[in-house]
Amino acid sequence: MTPNHITEALLTIRDWVRYSMSRLEEAEVFFGHGTDNAYDESVWLVMSALHLPLDTLDNFLDARVTRDEAKHLAHLIERRVTDRTPTAYLLREAWLRGFKFYVDERVIVPRSFIAELLENGLHPWVEYQEMVESAADICTGSGCLGVLLAHAFPNASIDVVDISPDAIAVANINITNYGLEEQITAIQSDMFTALAGKTYDLIISNPPYVDAPSMALLPTEYRNEPQIALGSGTDGLDHTHTLLKEAGNYLNDGGLLIVEIGHNRDALLEAYPDVPFTWLEVESGNQFVFLITKEQLPSSI
């Protein structure tokens, strides 16, 4: 069937969601940039492309799409299937714990277990929100965790830091979209190198942590993301080593460092057998994010 025949045959949003699901399943695309199945991805793609709220699908299932809308949907689905472009890039949006962020190919698509932990203000590790007066997000990418930090700790002055000037540009878009210019500052820096003289009550980081063997096997969808934001040396811990080595110089007394490390817990414990990491529980388990105080950092022991 030609593209014109496809757009003429598919009349309603119901038709387009069904068609998208079929194409995604047939092409065996990889999910992992906001959804984990063809139905959710198709609803997201179709509804957002038509500028309709995702939670109003039932109201619009039988609404007819215009000819121009049909051409647009066909183009997006073809790019998703043929180029393996993540839907977040196609739509220029990503969602994290109910927050909507602007994204494009300059940054990885937001995904982080730390976002889940920020929903309750890091309780019980932070007893009162007002206790956090300064915070930093190292390797911020799109700035998403910085925005979530601002909502969790409204009294805190926040720095979001990334080595990529492109990432800083995207982070500033999201800072502006949420009206947080007075609370969040985006800083281009290779981790701590441009932060001389700064100290924080809280440092969080979702750094690159994909190890070399896994980088070689990444699905195409992940290869369409900035590779600098994914790989971190042979064991996936190069950035984490830097955080553990240097964070103590930038934390106030009693300050906290929280780091996401993916599936590298065993490698981390082997490298630091005497460090008393606290492993934080998230929906997927307690192996992906650790917390450590300034006084517990390797250089402080």
Side-chain angles (χ1 to χ4, degrees), residues 8 16 25 28 30 39 49 58 71 83 99 121 143 215 217 223-224 234 253 288 299 301:
E8 291 172 2
W16 278 99
E25 292 282 7
E28 297 182 343
F30 188 87
Y39 173 74
D58 290 344
K71 290 179 180 178
D83 302 333
F99 286 75
M215 284 293 292
L217 299 174
R223 294 191 177 279
N224 283 325
T234 302
D253 291 344
F288 308 107
S299 60
I301 294 176

Side-chain angles (χ1 to χ4, degrees), residues 147 151 172-184:
V147 170
H151 281 81
N172 275 321
I173 291 172
N174 286 309
I175 291 167
T176 300
N177 285 348
Y178 278 97
L180 294 169
E181 298 95 328
E182 297 298 316
Q183 188 178 2
I184 304 178

Side-chain angles (χ1 to χ4, degrees), residues 23-203:
R23 290 298 309 279
L24 299 184
E25 292 282 7
E26 179 185 28
E28 297 182 343
V29 303
F30 188 87
F31 304 105
H33 291 89
T35 72
D36 60 7
N37 62 81
Y39 173 74
D40 289 339
E41 185 114 349
S42 295
V43 169
W44 177 27
L45 189 155
V46 172
M47 293 295 281
S48 287
L50 296 177
H51 306 290
L52 295 171
L54 300 182
D55 60 359
T56 62
L57 175 64
D58 290 344
N59 296 334
F60 292 104
L61 272 173
D62 295 313
R64 294 170 67 104
V65 302
T66 69
R67 181 169 299 183
D68 286 343
E69 288 171 339
K71 290 179 180 178
H72 181 52
L73 290 172
H75 172 70
L76 294 180
I77 293 168
E78 192 62 28
R79 284 192 61 196
R80 181 69 183 91
V81 168
T82 303
D83 302 333
R84 294 299 203 266
T85 303
T87 295
Y89 290 158
L90 298 175
L91 300 172
R92 296 292 191 252
E93 71 175 40
W95 293 83
L96 195 60
R97 311 306 291 189
F99 286 75
K100 181 180 177 180
F101 297 100
Y102 173 87
V103 297
D104 58 34
E105 288 83 354
R106 293 175 290 178
V107 294
I108 63 169
V109 178
R111 47 189 181 271
S112 176
F113 296 115
I114 294 175
E116 177 185 337
L117 296 166
L118 290 173
E119 283 188 315
N120 68 351
L122 297 176
H123 185 80
W125 311 109
V126 175
E127 188 173 2
Y128 301 106
Q129 289 179 314
E130 57 270 21
M131 292 175 65
V132 176
E133 297 180 347
S134 56
D137 173 25
I138 310 296
C139 305
T140 193
S142 62
C144 57
L145 290 182
V147 170
L148 297 185
L149 272 173
H151 281 81
F153 305 108
N155 295 330
S157 174
I158 296 165
D159 290 337
V160 295
V161 180
D162 204 283
I163 191 174
S164 165
D166 285 339
I168 293 300
V170 174
N172 275 321
I173 291 172
N174 286 309
I175 291 167
T176 300
N177 285 348
Y178 278 97
L180 294 169
E181 298 95 328
E182 297 298 316
Q183 188 178 2
I184 304 178
T185 302
I187 301 172
Q188 184 186 349
S189 175
D190 184 358
M191 302 195 76
F192 295 104
T193 56
L195 303 183
K198 289 179 171 286
T199 58
Y200 306 96
D201 297 323
L202 170 66
I203 296 175

